[in-house]
Amino acid sequence: MDLVDLIAEKRFLGQEFLTWLWWKSEERGGSIELPGDGDITVVFEKHMLLESGEGESSEKIICTGLQAELQEARTGLQMGKKLEQARILINHSNYEYSFTLAGALMEFRNVRLPKTEATENDKGENPEEVEGMILERIYLFEELIRVVNTLFKMFLVVRVSAEWREELSKIRNWVEKSAVVV
């Protein structure tokens, strides 16, 4: 099996992860406990891409709006569409990260790293200050990747365990309840 076939075959994991993370973020009002790190805040916001079908028969829906107004995305889940891409906001260690995560390849897009004192006061005159700023940005990006990897690992531990049936049942109940128009 070549790499392209393998990616196509396993893309469902990224889609399931995004759906699980959305459910998990709403389970405790946006708060998710990371092992060893404590609570972080995860909010799905403004933009989601859902898809169904494959190849020429694939259908994509882009849903935009505030978090509470993503009713169309919730309805799409209820209709069997898969969450392929989402705009996510994570608060961790007093830093706010904003990014779009594409599920199929776990690809980070449109990443906005936290503003720090160094980036706010960017004078860029001293080469050592510039180097420090660059290193700080690299650290922040690595920290974002570490947090998302930890969340993905949490998902995989449940996904391959006997607990998955119970977790899936909770997610299905959440989809059913959240898709009801008030």
Side-chain angles (χ1 to χ4, degrees):
M1 178 177 283
D2 69 351
L3 183 60
V4 174
D5 291 336
L6 187 61
I7 290 170
E9 183 182 307
K10 304 298 182 198
R11 74 181 289 141
F12 74 93
L13 276 174
Q15 294 169 332
E16 285 184 3
F17 170 64
L18 283 174
T19 305
W20 175 86
L21 187 59
W22 188 12
W23 165 73
K24 200 74 171 159
S25 74
E26 291 192 357
E27 185 182 39
R28 291 179 49 217
S31 184
I32 297 176
E33 184 178 349
L34 281 186
D37 272 345
D39 284 353
I40 64 167
T41 304
V42 178
V43 177
F44 280 66
E45 60 175 11
K46 298 181 187 174
H47 174 86
M48 289 186 178
L49 172 70
L50 290 94
E51 63 182 27
S52 63
E54 292 184 24
E56 291 182 20
S57 65
S58 77
E59 186 178 290
K60 296 183 182 198
I61 297 174
I62 297 174
C63 305
T64 59
L66 299 174
Q67 182 209 17
E69 297 172 354
L70 289 169
Q71 189 63 39
E72 190 175 358
R74 296 169 193 274
T75 303
L77 285 179
Q78 188 178 34
M79 295 171 54
K81 294 186 179 358
K82 308 289 187 211
L83 184 54
E84 174 52 35
Q85 179 174 295
R87 186 84 187 148
I88 302 171
L89 182 103
I90 291 180
N91 281 306
H92 174 263
S93 300
N94 297 323
Y95 289 122
E96 184 175 280
Y97 300 88
S98 179
F99 60 99
T100 299
L101 186 62
L105 298 174
M106 296 296 287
E107 178 183 2
F108 289 81
R109 299 177 182 166
N110 304 317
V111 176
R112 289 201 178 101
L113 296 174
K115 299 222 181 286
T116 62
E117 188 176 321
T119 58
E120 289 293 307
N121 302 322
D122 176 23
K123 304 284 189 244
E125 297 168 10
N126 184 343
E128 291 163 356
E129 289 176 5
V130 172
E131 182 180 345
M133 259 186 356
I134 292 169
L135 291 173
E136 182 178 50
R137 302 305 277 174
I138 291 170
Y139 165 77
L140 290 170
F141 195 77
E142 287 175 342
E143 191 63 13
L144 171 62
I145 292 170
R146 185 190 68 76
V147 167
V148 173
N149 282 344
T150 302
L151 290 166
F152 189 60
K153 181 179 178 185
M154 288 170 56
F155 163 72
L156 288 177
V157 165
V158 172
R159 180 64 174 87
V160 300
S161 74
E163 297 171 27
W164 179 242
R165 284 187 194 271
E166 183 181 331
E167 194 100 339
L168 189 56
S169 176
K170 290 177 185 176
I171 294 169
R172 285 182 175 145
N173 287 335
W174 168 76
V175 168
E176 291 297 320
K177 288 178 184 174
S178 66
V180 175
V181 178
V182 180

